[in-house]
Amino acid sequence: MDRKKNISMAVIKRLPKYHRYLMELLKNDVDRISSKELSEKIGFTASQIRQDLNCFGDFGQQGYGYNVKELYNQISAILGLQKDYNYVIIGAGNLGQALANYTRFDKLGFNLKGIFDANPKLVGIRIRDIEIADIDEMENFLKSNPVDIGMLCVPQTSAQKVCDILVNGGVKGIWNFAPIDLTAPEDVIIENVHLSESLLTLVYLLNEGK
Amino acid sequence: MDRKKNISMAVIKRLPKYHRYLMELLKNDVDRISSKELSEKIGFTASQIRQDLNCFGDFGQQGYGYNVKELYNQISAILGLQKDYNYVIIGAGNLGQALANYTRFDKLGFNLKGIFDANPKLVGIRIRDIEIADIDEMENFLKSNPVDIGMLCVPQTSAQKVCDILVNGGVKGIWNFAPIDLTAPEDVIIENVHLSESLLTLVYLLNEGK
């Protein structure tokens, strides 16, 4: 896996899309696919696909295309999906509940271990067999339950505080939905989903050239 | 606004972030900021910031920095926020409800005009004074109500069908949360929020170099 180093962010960002398309192909019992056919489906050029996959090793045979199952397994392994991940959700409003109900994450090997909220009206409610706990209990919870990923669905004003508790509790991955750029030590990975920014990009493109 | 043409997607994707930071500065009554100070806050280099903003016109004065309010107004205008947008939400599950409750969108000039769902248990429920309507009513609704943006929070299997109804109804912007790449005419802008792909990027980065 030495080739994993120095892979550009652009390639990394495309990997999950390959993963999704290959999963679809597997579901539809497709055994083999050429970079040209894959290109038509996924919307990247065939040469882009060959280049991307070459970053990670020798996939596919000239003239025979890719073995879908093998490529799917390899990309899963590259993404780190050969093992499971434990996650907690902080903020059990609509967005937190939406994430808690995403069974898609289960299938990818993500295990929901806890849901936390500061709102006493939500504490005690069960979502998928997990009782929403008081946010004040999270620090202790993390001491006895190893958690890989914290999904932050709290308001902007409390996001950094919650992030600090997660980091102190040994959580190395933060999936942040709050519209704020969090501060954390270098070995903690923060992936942001800034919804307003995505919407504003849409609006810019709607007006472009007008 | 001729300079708007040929702006790279990378610059466009950074604009909403400038917008968010400038809004924060305005809230905190900051009048003036240098590209160096803005750089420290926003995390782009000062030269990157100067380059980005130069794409759109002459902002800032050498040695005096940027007038925050003016820059905010200009970036709002570049993004197209000088006017309002009407939107509908399709799919009133947790995610759709989360979006319906985002008052942040109101402040940016987005007006929620309708919520649609296929589930009879949800139809008739009110969210923020809007009654969830049956998805079958959307086609007619669009005939008499101009809508700019459709937010797609339906399952993957019905996403394309709903997208087609929106497009036929004259909607030019689709904000798509379903894990599928939609097909639409060229003049329709589709902005995807593929949550699973964002999560898989996080997992890749968590494992990188290990």
Side-chain angles (χ1 to χ4, degrees):
Chain A
M1 285 276 165
D2 272 357
R3 299 207 204 192
K4 274 180 73 168
K5 313 262 168 75
N6 301 321
I7 305 293
S8 83
M9 202 59 204
V11 179
I12 295 167
K13 289 271 178 193
R14 282 194 289 273
L15 283 179
K17 195 165 178 181
Y18 286 114
H19 187 267
R20 172 160 61 87
Y21 271 85
L22 289 164
M23 197 192 255
E24 287 292 320
L25 290 172
L26 268 187
K27 254 194 235 163
N28 297 324
D29 293 320
V30 179
D31 290 334
R32 208 159 256 291
I33 192 161
S34 68
S35 50
K36 187 165 169 288
E37 289 165 316
L38 192 56
S39 155
E40 279 155 17
K41 283 193 174 294
I42 205 166
F44 309 148
T45 64
S47 94
Q48 172 90 83
I49 290 174
R50 285 191 298 269
Q51 255 179 46
D52 282 355
L53 299 180
N54 275 339
C55 291
F56 298 98
D58 295 322
F59 297 117
Q61 257 183 291
Q62 193 76 41
Y64 286 89
Y66 298 107
N67 177 315
V68 173
K69 181 146 201 194
E70 204 180 289
L71 188 57
Y72 173 79
N73 288 339
Q74 299 258 26
I75 287 188
S76 297
I78 291 165
L79 284 167
L81 294 175
Q82 74 282 24
K83 57 180 180 183
D84 279 17
Y85 295 89
N86 293 335
Y87 70 97
V88 292
I89 291 172
I90 308 97
N94 284 312
L95 180 62
Q97 291 190 31
L99 295 180
N101 284 309
Y102 259 44
T103 50
R104 201 176 174 83
F105 296 160
D106 298 39
K107 286 178 202 144
L108 291 168
F110 294 88
N111 308 313
L112 178 57
K113 291 295 181 182
I115 309 173
F116 299 89
D117 201 287
N119 184 347
K121 283 183 191 159
L122 291 174
V123 171
I125 290 175
R126 279 183 170 276
I127 302 178
R128 295 180 66 203
D129 282 342
I130 291 178
E131 204 171 278
I132 300 172
D134 192 297
I135 183 78
D136 289 337
E137 292 171 23
M138 190 167 75
E139 194 179 334
N140 262 325
F141 177 89
L142 293 174
K143 282 181 191 156
S144 43
N145 296 276
V147 165
D148 303 291
I149 296 166
M151 301 185 181
L152 262 192
C153 308
V154 298
Q156 188 181 8
T157 42
S158 43
Q160 185 62 56
K161 207 178 76 184
V162 173
C163 174
D164 293 344
I165 301 171
L166 288 167
V167 169
N168 288 333
V171 176
K172 295 293 184 206
I174 311 275
W175 202 25
N176 173 41
F177 287 79
I180 183 175
D181 294 299
L182 300 166
T183 306
E186 267 198 6
D187 65 334
V188 173
I189 308 292
I190 297 172
E191 171 79 10
N192 294 304
V193 182
H194 288 327
L195 292 181
S196 296
E197 295 185 17
S198 169
L199 181 60
L200 294 193
T201 303
L202 173 63
V203 166
Y204 175 89
L205 294 172
L206 268 180
N207 288 288
E208 200 184 26
K210 272 190 191 164
Chain B
M1 282 276 165
D2 273 357
R3 301 207 202 194
K4 274 180 75 172
K5 313 262 168 74
N6 301 319
I7 305 293
S8 82
M9 201 58 206
V11 178
I12 295 166
K13 290 268 177 196
R14 282 194 290 272
L15 283 179
K17 195 167 178 180
Y18 286 114
H19 187 267
R20 171 160 60 87
Y21 272 85
L22 289 164
M23 195 191 258
E24 287 291 319
L25 290 171
L26 269 186
K27 253 194 236 163
N28 298 324
D29 293 321
V30 178
D31 291 333
R32 209 159 256 291
I33 193 161
S34 67
S35 49
K36 187 164 169 287
E37 289 165 316
L38 192 56
S39 154
E40 278 155 18
K41 282 194 176 292
I42 206 167
F44 309 148
T45 65
S47 92
Q48 172 90 83
I49 290 174
R50 286 191 298 267
Q51 255 180 45
D52 283 354
L53 299 180
N54 275 339
C55 291
F56 298 99
D58 295 322
F59 298 118
Q61 258 182 290
Q62 194 76 40
Y64 287 88
Y66 299 106
N67 176 316
V68 173
K69 183 146 198 195
E70 203 180 290
L71 189 56
Y72 173 79
N73 288 339
Q74 300 258 25
I75 287 189
S76 297
I78 291 165
L79 284 167
L81 294 175
Q82 76 281 24
K83 57 179 180 184
D84 279 18
Y85 296 90
N86 293 336
Y87 69 96
V88 292
I89 292 172
I90 308 98
N94 284 314
L95 180 63
Q97 292 191 29
L99 295 180
N101 283 309
Y102 259 45
T103 51
R104 201 177 174 82
F105 296 160
D106 298 37
K107 286 177 203 147
L108 291 168
F110 295 88
N111 309 314
L112 178 57
K113 291 295 180 182
I115 310 173
F116 299 89
D117 203 287
N119 184 349
K121 284 185 190 157
L122 291 174
V123 171
I125 291 175
R126 279 184 171 275
I127 301 178
R128 297 181 64 203
D129 282 341
I130 290 178
E131 204 172 277
I132 300 173
D134 193 297
I135 182 79
D136 289 337
E137 292 171 23
M138 190 167 75
E139 195 179 333
N140 262 324
F141 177 90
L142 293 174
K143 281 180 193 158
S144 43
N145 296 276
V147 166
D148 304 291
I149 296 166
M151 302 186 180
L152 262 191
C153 307
V154 298
Q156 187 181 8
T157 42
S158 43
Q160 184 61 56
K161 208 178 74 186
V162 173
C163 174
D164 293 343
I165 301 170
L166 289 167
V167 169
N168 288 333
V171 177
K172 295 293 184 208
I174 310 273
W175 203 24
N176 173 42
F177 288 80
I180 183 175
D181 293 300
L182 299 167
T183 306
E186 266 198 7
D187 65 334
V188 173
I189 308 292
I190 297 172
E191 170 80 11
N192 295 303
V193 181
H194 287 327
L195 292 180
S196 295
E197 295 185 15
S198 169
L199 181 60
L200 294 194
T201 303
L202 173 63
V203 165
Y204 174 88
L205 294 172
L206 268 180
N207 288 286
E208 199 183 30
K210 271 190 190 163

